[in-house]
Amino acid sequence: GDSVTQMEGPVTLSEEAFLTINCTYTATGYPSLFWYVQYPGEGLQLLLKATKADDKGSNKGFEATYRKETTSFHLEKGSVQVSDSAVYFCALSDRGGANNLFFGTGTRLTVIP
Amino acid sequence: NAGVMQNPRHLVRRRGQEARLRCSPVKGHSHVYWYRQLPEEGLKFMVYLQKENIIDESGMPKERFSAEFPKEGPSILRIQQVVRGDSAAYFCASSAEGQGINNEQFFGPGTRLTVL
């Protein structure tokens, strides 16, 4: 069945450090891929998405590229800020839309000044 | 410009009691989704509803769990005779459409259910 495997945390970085959170997936067909972020006390927010192979999603300095050959969708940011501290979830949808999202376990990021 | 509202944010129940979780979608959204996050696990899809209809309940346990989204009022996830294994965070999401360009899901802050 469809599944998402996400880098386990927690991850602690100093401000301005480079961030990578790994995400790999298993799916039949051609899923859409997503990164969601959850700030303390809030709901999940869509951070970025990609709907086909080689697409790059980007938002707020974060990027992720849909790699079909390695079934990966790693999240990267060149220079993290304290305000990026949150839990990050990788997810996929197996129908091209988003009716039924499969989520990874989440990675907690803490950025220290 | 309210987002998805869930209440209560925290709910404590004793084994055997009923839990009722409420979700008010984004104004104008007619599609609602419920997810459950068990400790140390990712969110798992439970059910997808459109006004007055259950579209997909493939992730719902067969017993004790039910969901509704009436014509008026919030969506309700109901858990009867709760057990300790029901302790989890329950997230609701809503979307304007079920497919296509407006199907992005907007999530609420979740309800944390603790069963004593």
Side-chain angles (χ1 to χ4, degrees), chain A residues 38 41 43-44 46 97-100 104, chain B residues 9 42 45 98-99 103 105 107-108:
Chain A
Q38 184 178 29
L44 280 72
L46 180 62
N99 284 354
N100 185 347
Chain B
R9 294 291 303 275
F45 168 80
Q99 295 283 349
N103 67 352
Q105 293 184 25
F107 281 80

